[in-house]
């Protein structure tokens, strides 16, 4: 176990995700905008006759299609530094070739990374060939071995796994969709873009690549609605004769709420930190409610990001709108009820948790 | 105690900077000097100078992702923690640093 922890597998995945997020946001926005105004992401840009919105949609869509490659490159780079980039790229594209999607990208990245380290460690070349190592030998050998592993060993199990998953999700009846929505919604609501959110995100993004749009719609709608709900809570609080936010928090909200409209939830983190438990309760309940609506009514956005911009891309746009509205209302009301008036808030120095020794490395 | 630190969380827009603030406050409250470099999604800010690293007693790396220039700290004792630890328990983290240095 100690050895596994030393490997720090999580760090490599998180590094890749941190490179991937700007791509998903940037490209997701492009395709959301494009599709919102009627663009078609399947248009051929080399033939005349495409619209401006088509161009946006295509640009965004192509970038999103390359996400497995970005993930694999990120992981390989995290493991093996610069020499890992080329093999990561090549093996990631191989993941696309075998339709192994996201999971294939992740597996490919680790394979590429560890192959590169092994080659550097164990492959001895004569002095005249030293220069060829990073330029030719490592990329070629790593990509060759890694690619073959992907095609002949990894490919089939992944295809089977994805088929099973898609079949399972397709076959879910309305009541199970509701439960699923509640679970995804609540999970997404708990940590405001933190590790749980990111893990669920990776999972549901992979599902969207298989054509299952429900879960990712749920997650992103929760991230969209949460900051807006916090904003609305201010006014609900007023109705209950409570000032639930300090001056600084109100200022923070002024930036955080617009960010919410475009799917960025992190803006409200400072507010959450001041009152963690109550905020989490409010967002989890709101998220569960919104999630249930969006899954059961099958809002199904076809883009992975965009906040309110996702609505025009949805199979059932009204379901998306309803989901956001429900989420916002529930979060706002629960939060306003739970929170005390600011005059009663203690500047409580919360007792810090003891540092879990598992997570600390001393070198 | 002179501390140098790098903070780098996954999304790179929130926890990185919160960790920076929390570490700075905790270190100063305990009477230490600290310089915190952040590697967020926007890039490296407040980059540590060679001098700062040379004069430091210990490095605290509050990182979830791979950071650039980790080899800068090869001559220092290093404490590596997830960003979350710096955000949630900065004072205990500084205490731990004090312990490590004896």
């Amino acid at each position: 176990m100690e050895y596994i922890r030393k490997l720090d597998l999580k760090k490599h995945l998180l590094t890749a995700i941190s490179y991937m997020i700007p791509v998903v946001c940037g490209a997701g926005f492009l395709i959301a905008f494009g599709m919102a105004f009627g663009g078609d992401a399947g248009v051929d840009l080399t033939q005349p006759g495409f619209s401006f919105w088509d161009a946006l949609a295509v640009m965004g869509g192509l970038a999103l299609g390359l996400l497995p490659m970005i993930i694999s490159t990120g992981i390989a780079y995290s493991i093996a530094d610069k020499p890992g980039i080329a093999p990561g790229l090549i093996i990631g594209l191989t993941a696309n070739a075998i339709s192994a999607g996201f999971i294939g990208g992740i597996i490919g990245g680790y394979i590429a990374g560890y192959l590169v380290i092994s080659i550097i460690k164990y492959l001895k070349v004569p002095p005249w060939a030293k220069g060829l190592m990073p330029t030719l030998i490592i990329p070629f050998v790593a990509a060759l071995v890694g690619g073959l592993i992907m095609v002949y060993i990894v490919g089939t199990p992944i295809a089977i796994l994805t088929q099973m998953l898609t079949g399972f999700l397709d076959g879910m009846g309305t009541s199970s969709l509701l439960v699923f929505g509640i679970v995804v919604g609540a999970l997404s609501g708990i940590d405001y873009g933190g590790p749980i959110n990111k893990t669920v995100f990776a999972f549901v993004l992979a599902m969207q690549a298989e054509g299952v749009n429900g879960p990712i719609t749920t997650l992103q709608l929760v991230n969209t609605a949460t900051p807006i709900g916090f904003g609305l809570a201010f006014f609900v609080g007023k109705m209950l004769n409570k000032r639930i936010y300090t001056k600084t928090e109100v200022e923070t909200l002024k930036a955080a709420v617009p960010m919410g409209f475009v799917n960025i939830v992190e803006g409200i983190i400072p507010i959450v930190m001041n009152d963690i438990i109550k905020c989490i309760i409010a967002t989890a309940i709101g998220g569960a409610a919104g999630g249930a609506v969006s899954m059961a009514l099958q809002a199904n956005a076809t883009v992975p990001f965009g906040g309110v911009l996702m609505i025009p891309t949805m199979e059932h746009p009204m379901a998306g709108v309803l989901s956001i509205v429900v989420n916002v209302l529930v979060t706002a009301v629960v939060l306003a009820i739970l929170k005390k008036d600011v005059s009663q808030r203690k500047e409580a120095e919360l007792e810090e948790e003891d540092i879990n020794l598992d997570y600390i490395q001393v070198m | 105690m002179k501390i140098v630190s790098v903070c780098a969380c996954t999304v790179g827009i929130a926890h990185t900077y919160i960790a920076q603030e929390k570490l700075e406050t905790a270190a100063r409250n305990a009477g230490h000097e600290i310089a915190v470099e952040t590697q967020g999604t926007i890039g490296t800010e407040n980059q540590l100078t060679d001098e700062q690293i040379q004069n430091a007693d210990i490095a605290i790396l509050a990182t979830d992702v791979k950071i650039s220039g980790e080899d800068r700290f090869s001559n220092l004792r290093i404490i590596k923690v997830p960003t979350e630890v710096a955000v949630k328990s900065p004072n205990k983290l500084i205490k731990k640093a004090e312990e490590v240095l004896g």
Side-chain angles (χ1 to χ4, degrees), chain A residues 11 14-15 18 21-22 77-78 81 193 198 266 269 273 351-355 357 359-363, chain B residues 10-11 13-15 18 41 64-66 77-82 87-93 96 100:
Chain A
K11 176 178 90 166
L14 285 179
T15 306
S18 85
I21 291 175
Y77 171 65
S78 177
D81 213 78
K198 290 287 158 278
E266 280 87 347
I269 289 182
M273 308 242 23
E351 178 66 30
E352 283 184 2
E353 291 170 24
D354 269 326
I355 300 182
L357 287 173
Y359 293 136
I360 189 169
Q361 284 176 285
V362 181
M363 307 188 288
Chain B
T10 311
V11 183
I13 56 179
H15 298 102
I18 299 180
T41 303
D64 297 322
V65 298
K66 176 179 161 79
R77 296 299 304 275
I78 303 178
I79 299 186
K80 246 196 205 173
V81 289
V87 168
K88 284 206 202 140
S89 319
N91 294 302
K92 294 229 161 101
L93 183 54
K96 184 80 188 163
V100 166

Side-chain angles (χ1 to χ4, degrees), chain A residues 47-73:
Chain A
Q47 304 293 337
F50 57 87
S51 76
F52 175 68
W53 308 109
D54 289 332
L56 291 188
V58 170
M59 281 158 56
L62 285 173
L64 291 177
L66 289 180
L67 281 179
M69 184 195 80
I70 298 176
I71 284 258
S72 69
T73 312

Side-chain angles (χ1 to χ4, degrees), chain B residues 9-82:
Chain B
C9 73
T10 311
V11 183
I13 56 179
H15 298 102
T16 301
Y17 303 102
I18 299 180
Q20 174 189 31
E21 266 179 47
K22 295 249 167 167
L23 278 176
E24 284 172 352
T25 313
R28 283 183 197 138
N29 284 346
H32 305 300
E33 280 177 48
I34 189 169
V36 184
E37 172 184 305
T38 54
Q39 291 188 13
T41 303
I42 198 93
T44 304
E45 283 169 317
N46 217 33
Q47 190 163 11
L48 296 168
T49 63
D50 289 334
E51 215 190 312
Q52 281 171 320
I53 300 180
Q54 253 170 10
N55 292 337
D57 302 304
I58 192 169
I60 298 183
L61 302 181
T63 61
D64 297 322
V65 298
K66 176 179 161 79
I67 54 170
S68 66
E70 192 166 329
D71 46 10
R72 289 176 290 171
F73 308 108
S74 48
N75 289 327
L76 283 174
R77 296 299 304 275
I78 303 178
I79 299 186
K80 246 196 205 173
V81 289

Side-chain angles (χ1 to χ4, degrees), chain A residues 61-107:
Chain A
L62 285 173
L64 291 177
L66 289 180
L67 281 179
M69 184 195 80
I70 298 176
I71 284 258
S72 69
T73 312
I75 295 180
Y77 171 65
S78 177
I79 299 176
D81 213 78
K82 272 205 213 149
I85 296 182
L89 268 167
I90 300 175
I91 297 186
L93 282 168
T94 312
N96 264 359
I98 58 172
S99 280
F102 231 59
I103 318 263
I106 295 179
I107 299 181

